[in-house]
Amino acid sequence: MMGRQASGQDRLFYSFNLEDHIPQNHLLRGIDRCLDFAGLREHLAEHYSQIGRPSIDPELMLRMLVVGYCYGIRSERRLCEELHLNLAYRWFCRLSLEDAVPDHSTFSKNRHGRFRDSGVFRWLFDEVVRRCMAAGLVKAEGFAVDASIVAADASSQRGVPGTETVDWKDPVLCTRAVREYLQGLDDEALGKVLPKKISLTDPQASWTAATGGPAFFAYSTNYLIDAEHGVIMDVQATPAHRTAEVESTKLMVDRVQEQFGLKPERLIGDTAYGTAPMLSWMVDEKGIEPHVPVWDRTQRDDDTLSSNEFTWDEQAKEYTCPQGRPLRSQWRVFKIERSHITKADTVIYRASQKDCTNCPEKQRCCPNTPMRKIARSVHEAARDVGRKIATTEQYERSRCQRKKVEMLFAHLKRILRLDRLRLRGLSGAMDEFTMAAVVQNLRRLAMRVPQGPPPQGTGAPA
């Protein structure tokens, strides 16, 4: 017999328990066990007035943002609509069926106001990292670093050439992102490179075609992760160009050491992090093993002798060619001692023109110059350390572990749907990248530790 559904919408009273309708294996249950907002009110206390009408609970707004980033709900208006309808979202945000959902405009005022001024997103990120440490997910023996480009909320049609003069005082252009850009014009990372194109909507975004397709305005999210379980130890937003990405590594490593008292024994990265100054910073300043490919252009492809075929004498500070002739930085004594260091932080070593003229290997060594020259970096000792490490088995293992960073970026863009920013300015990008990293750590923590991490205070000092 074909059944018929009985009408159940004419009842006046219902017996309903929200807790009973959320599955025990639901992702939000696992995340809820890992979250701790005990110190939130103390952190935000000075940013709220002691008098007046009570505000919306900041914990509620943060929980709503966690839901939004966890399920790729980027629109705050849509997030409020989903929270109104979804029982699991209501349960996670501690809202009953009768409680009203905050208006979407509340997020904008708090994000660009007290949340940004107080650094609450960074506070939440650090708290989640401590929970990961307490759960034993951070080994701190090896860290991996990488960057990924995310499109900015800026149209390419609203861009002008970087050489064109722009009247930023025009009221039409005087937005929050523009004011932030004008305040940071003296920033070293931004001032080194003259942009090819600048956005009138978000001038801190970089014009880039690094992805291989058409150029667009973008920012870079930089991750520093623990190589053991892929926990994100730090995150930093930068303009989408290589110099800023590499320099952010120093900031993240120093910040992790200051915040959590952790310094890795090895740092894993791709060729972008294998420059001579970066290797010197790792080896000489931090005492970290550089598990990165050395940026090296000495190998020649025209069948002539490369510089690695010359022998370096550390004691004499000179090279010796395959024919046994020396290459020196100076061939006579100067009254005033010279360093011979060029603007590129190199020292030029030259052979004697007489030796090269009579050498039988001249056509294979320096066919187009009267003498052979070798430019040696002042950081060459650190480069040699990197080359030696590249021959070890541990290095090969590190190359495999570096893929964990790329997997996190794929998860960020495909699952969390953060392939384009909604907030503008470098601070807006930082807020979005930080919240996304918080959610990625929470999801990993919830899946790795189903019963929840140990109580607060057993991970790292606050």
Side-chain angles (χ1 to χ4, degrees):
M1 178 186 297
M2 183 181 297
R4 184 183 297 273
Q5 180 180 359
S7 176
Q9 297 185 357
D10 55 353
R11 295 174 59 186
L12 185 60
F13 299 102
Y14 292 87
S15 176
F16 187 88
N17 185 0
L18 190 59
E19 179 74 25
D20 297 337
H21 290 265
I22 311 302
Q24 292 298 319
N25 61 348
H26 197 281
L27 175 62
L28 290 180
R29 278 194 181 273
I31 291 179
D32 185 66
R33 288 192 294 266
C34 301
L35 270 177
D36 183 12
F37 290 99
L40 176 62
R41 294 183 178 278
E42 181 181 355
H43 181 79
L44 290 172
E46 63 181 29
H47 297 274
Y48 282 86
S49 174
Q50 299 297 323
I51 59 176
R53 187 179 65 178
S55 69
I56 295 176
D57 190 347
E59 180 179 341
L60 170 59
M61 286 187 285
L62 287 179
R63 283 182 174 271
M64 290 177 66
L65 287 174
V66 168
V67 170
Y69 280 90
C70 189
Y71 290 97
I73 306 174
R74 309 291 312 290
S75 168
E76 293 158 356
R77 188 187 297 269
R78 180 167 169 253
L79 175 60
C80 294
E81 294 174 354
E82 292 292 333
L83 189 66
H84 181 75
L85 299 172
N86 193 298
L87 296 180
Y89 297 172
R90 279 186 170 270
W91 173 86
F92 181 78
C93 294
R94 305 291 192 265
L95 293 177
S96 67
L97 292 178
E98 295 84 8
D99 290 334
V101 177
D103 190 81
H104 65 88
S105 61
T106 307
F107 285 100
S108 178
K109 184 174 181 61
N110 282 276
R111 266 187 167 183
H112 299 297
R114 58 172 61 96
F115 279 7
R116 185 167 294 172
D117 295 338
S118 65
V120 70
F121 296 134
R122 171 59 61 172
W123 172 86
L124 179 60
F125 175 83
D126 290 342
E127 290 299 309
V128 172
V129 172
R130 289 191 179 93
R131 303 284 282 183
C132 292
M133 294 170 62
L137 298 184
V138 177
K139 188 176 181 181
E141 183 270 334
F143 286 173
V145 64
D146 206 351
S148 183
I149 295 176
V150 179
D153 185 24
S155 171
S156 58
Q157 298 178 356
R158 286 276 293 166
V160 297
T163 55
E164 182 176 322
T165 303
V166 180
D167 182 15
W168 296 111
K169 296 182 180 179
D170 187 346
V172 178
L173 301 178
C174 193
T175 61
R176 181 184 291 108
V178 170
R179 291 194 298 270
E180 181 181 327
Y181 165 74
L182 295 177
Q183 292 173 0
L185 276 180
D186 294 332
D187 190 285
E188 185 178 359
L190 297 178
K192 281 185 176 180
V193 181
L194 182 65
K196 184 177 181 180
K197 194 172 184 180
I198 188 169
S199 171
L200 299 178
T201 306
D202 189 353
Q204 285 184 293
S206 294
W207 181 252
T208 179
T211 56
F216 58 98
F217 291 108
Y219 288 96
S220 289
T221 175
N222 299 268
Y223 277 3
L224 181 71
I225 73 164
D226 183 80
E228 186 68 18
H229 293 288
V231 173
I232 304 171
M233 301 301 298
D234 206 342
V235 57
Q236 183 65 33
T238 62
H241 54 75
R242 188 65 57 84
T243 303
E245 293 171 0
V246 174
E247 288 299 314
S248 70
T249 304
K250 301 178 182 180
L251 173 63
M252 292 190 291
V253 170
D254 290 340
R255 191 159 51 194
V256 168
Q257 185 174 2
E258 179 182 356
Q259 191 72 18
F260 307 113
L262 300 177
K263 190 184 76 170
E265 296 178 10
R266 56 192 171 98
L267 185 62
I268 309 167
D270 58 21
T271 311
Y273 304 90
T275 60
M278 188 65 186
L279 292 170
S280 177
W281 176 81
M282 284 188 269
V283 175
D284 300 328
E285 294 187 31
K286 305 299 293 185
I288 299 174
E289 292 184 2
H291 285 239
V292 299
V294 178
W295 183 272
D296 195 351
R297 292 184 175 181
T298 59
Q299 189 66 35
R300 298 185 175 185
D301 54 5
D302 57 356
D303 201 29
T304 58
L305 295 178
S306 300
S307 60
N308 56 13
E309 298 182 55
F310 290 69
T311 305
W312 170 251
D313 188 339
E314 181 65 30
Q315 186 175 1
K317 299 295 182 183
E318 65 181 27
Y319 280 99
T320 303
C321 75
Q323 296 296 317
R325 303 297 184 179
L327 286 79
R328 298 169 182 167
S329 60
Q330 65 180 33
W331 284 87
R332 64 186 179 91
V333 179
F334 294 91
K335 293 182 179 180
I336 301 177
E337 187 176 353
R338 301 181 181 184
S339 65
H340 301 285
I341 299 176
T342 66
K343 293 182 179 180
D345 285 339
T346 61
V347 177
I348 307 298
Y349 292 86
R350 298 175 176 85
S352 168
Q353 184 173 351
K354 180 180 178 181
D355 291 340
C356 289
T357 302
N358 301 322
C359 181
E361 292 290 325
K362 186 179 188 307
Q363 291 304 313
R364 289 193 62 235
C365 184
C366 52
N368 301 320
T369 58
M371 70 192 76
R372 180 59 187 259
K373 302 177 184 178
I374 295 179
R376 179 181 175 86
S377 171
V378 296
H379 308 299
E380 195 65 27
R383 287 159 57 89
D384 290 339
V385 172
R387 295 188 186 101
K388 184 177 180 180
I389 291 176
T391 61
T392 62
E393 294 183 1
Q394 179 63 38
Y395 178 84
E396 295 300 325
R397 177 168 170 263
S398 296
R399 307 316 297 162
C400 295
Q401 290 179 325
R402 193 180 68 83
K403 297 178 182 178
K404 295 181 180 180
V405 193
E406 298 171 354
M407 293 169 61
L408 284 169
F409 289 144
H411 180 268
L412 176 74
K413 295 179 179 180
R414 298 189 62 181
I415 306 301
L416 304 188
R417 302 175 187 175
L418 207 161
D419 54 356
R420 184 182 179 90
L421 295 170
R422 291 184 60 85
L423 302 183
R424 293 173 178 169
L426 191 60
S427 60
M430 187 66 197
D431 290 347
E432 291 218 62
F433 294 154
T434 303
M435 280 303 302
V438 166
V439 167
Q440 287 183 296
N441 278 344
L442 284 173
R443 290 173 67 109
R444 187 172 299 273
L445 184 59
M447 290 185 291
R448 291 271 184 174
V449 191
Q451 72 277 10
Q456 182 71 6
T458 58

